[in-house]
């Protein structure tokens, strides 16, 4: 199942205006969702300071991390797996700021 298909099957739908920003084509898995978040962080970091589109990329990254965390919990991941997932995205953001 793709990330988009998985998102569309959630009990609480994504607002229509925001849904197009969550267009990752990867597989709906912890690593797929984190990869999508990392891509959005890279898109955000590539924008000029003050560019409004950067905020949308950051919101999309946050959504993917949230979905990754939710998927991990549903699949029975432990706290360490969740910590590693968030650390992975945070490291990517930090590396881009350097």
């Amino acid at each position: 199942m793709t990330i988009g298909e998985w998102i569309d099957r959630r009990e609480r739908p994504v607002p229509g205006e925001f849904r197009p920003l969550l267009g990752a084509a990867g597989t709906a898995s912890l690593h797929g969702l984190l990869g999508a978040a990392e891509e959005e962080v890279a898109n955000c970091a590539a924008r000029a300071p003050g560019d409004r589109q950067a905020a949308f990329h950051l919101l999309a990254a946050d959504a993917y991390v949230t979905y990754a965390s939710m998927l991990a919990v549903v699949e029975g991941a432990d706290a360490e797996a969740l910590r590693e997932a968030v650390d992975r995205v945070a490291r990517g953001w930090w590396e881009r700021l350097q």
Side-chain angles (χ1 to χ4, degrees), residues 20-61:
L21 297 173
L22 301 175
T27 302
S29 65
L30 179 62
H31 293 291
L33 287 160
L34 291 176
E38 289 170 329
E39 186 174 323
E40 292 299 332
V41 166
N43 290 336
C44 179
R47 296 285 183 172
D51 184 337
R52 283 183 58 109
Q53 289 300 311
F56 293 118
H57 289 296
L58 188 57
L59 286 170

Side-chain angles (χ1 to χ4, degrees), residues 77-94:
D78 60 11
E80 183 60 27
L82 290 171
R83 188 172 11 268
E84 288 175 16
V86 173
D87 284 348
R88 174 179 162 181
V89 175
R91 275 192 309 273
W93 179 252
W94 179 251

